[in-house]
Amino acid sequence: MEDEVSLYTTLKEIYFSIDNGDRQLLEGYNLSVPRYYLLKHIAENPGITLTQLSSLMMTDKSNITRLIKSVEHEGYVRRQKHVTDGRAISLYLTDSGRVRVAEAIDAHDAFTTERFSRIHEQANGILPELVEIKSMLENQLISRNEAA
């Protein structure tokens, strides 16, 4: 049990380190990490619905709604009735939203490249194992949810 807890703790600390760096970078673009990913997903999937966005971001629709209201208020996102489902709302970036997220994506990509280039050799050596761990954890969660 001690090894499992140690692995969990190490992975969680790595996540916090990555997230903290992202948070510091994105503050310069007046974006939180969740707002950045929200805008990025909308940029990559114009017309995405709240339900689809909720699934991509692994959070509930109430959190997505709160984030949408925030970026909508700043003029980055607009809502539109879904083309085929009158009950659904499609989300699109405005011109200023496209500019903001493009700048943030470029900066984030450059920052990530800089951060991870220093550990490239070590990371490539363990990447297949990390992908397998991710898959196993996702499958465990699916199995657990199906059993419930």
Side-chain angles (χ1 to χ4, degrees):
M1 181 156 117
E2 194 172 306
D3 288 344
E4 291 86 352
V5 172
S6 179
L7 173 62
Y8 171 85
T9 301
T10 301
L11 290 172
K12 193 73 166 174
E13 288 171 352
I14 290 169
Y15 164 77
F16 284 142
S17 178
I18 291 169
D19 192 61
N20 187 44
D22 288 351
R23 184 182 48 76
Q24 289 179 26
L25 172 78
L26 295 169
E27 281 175 355
Y29 295 87
N30 194 32
L31 294 172
S32 64
V33 174
R35 285 168 34 119
Y36 167 76
Y37 281 104
L38 179 102
L39 293 174
K40 187 173 191 282
H41 287 308
I42 296 171
E44 293 169 349
N45 305 284
I48 192 169
T49 66
L50 273 68
T51 301
Q52 293 166 329
L53 199 49
S54 175
S55 177
L56 275 175
M57 293 187 63
M58 294 184 256
T59 189
D60 58 49
K61 283 178 28 178
S62 64
N63 282 333
I64 296 299
T65 300
R66 180 182 51 79
L67 289 168
I68 291 296
K69 284 181 181 179
S70 166
V71 293
E72 192 176 34
H73 176 74
E74 291 186 32
Y76 295 152
V77 170
R78 66 180 170 80
R79 299 174 194 227
Q80 184 175 315
K81 277 196 172 221
H82 192 275
V83 176
T84 59
D85 183 352
R87 299 167 296 160
I89 300 293
S90 296
L91 302 168
Y92 298 91
L93 294 178
T94 62
D95 290 340
S96 62
R98 276 190 289 281
V99 169
R100 175 56 46 145
V101 76
E103 293 171 344
I105 287 171
D106 288 347
H108 186 265
D109 287 351
F111 180 63
T112 300
T113 299
E114 176 190 334
R115 288 179 86 188
F116 282 83
S117 67
R118 297 178 188 151
I119 60 169
H120 180 75
E121 286 183 32
Q122 296 91 338
N124 277 345
I126 62 169
L127 188 56
E129 288 85 0
L130 289 173
V131 170
E132 181 64 24
I133 289 170
K134 176 184 173 281
S135 178
M136 290 170 60
L137 290 171
E138 288 171 347
N139 289 335
Q140 286 176 346
L141 191 57
I142 290 168
S143 296
R144 184 173 188 181
N145 288 339
E146 288 174 352

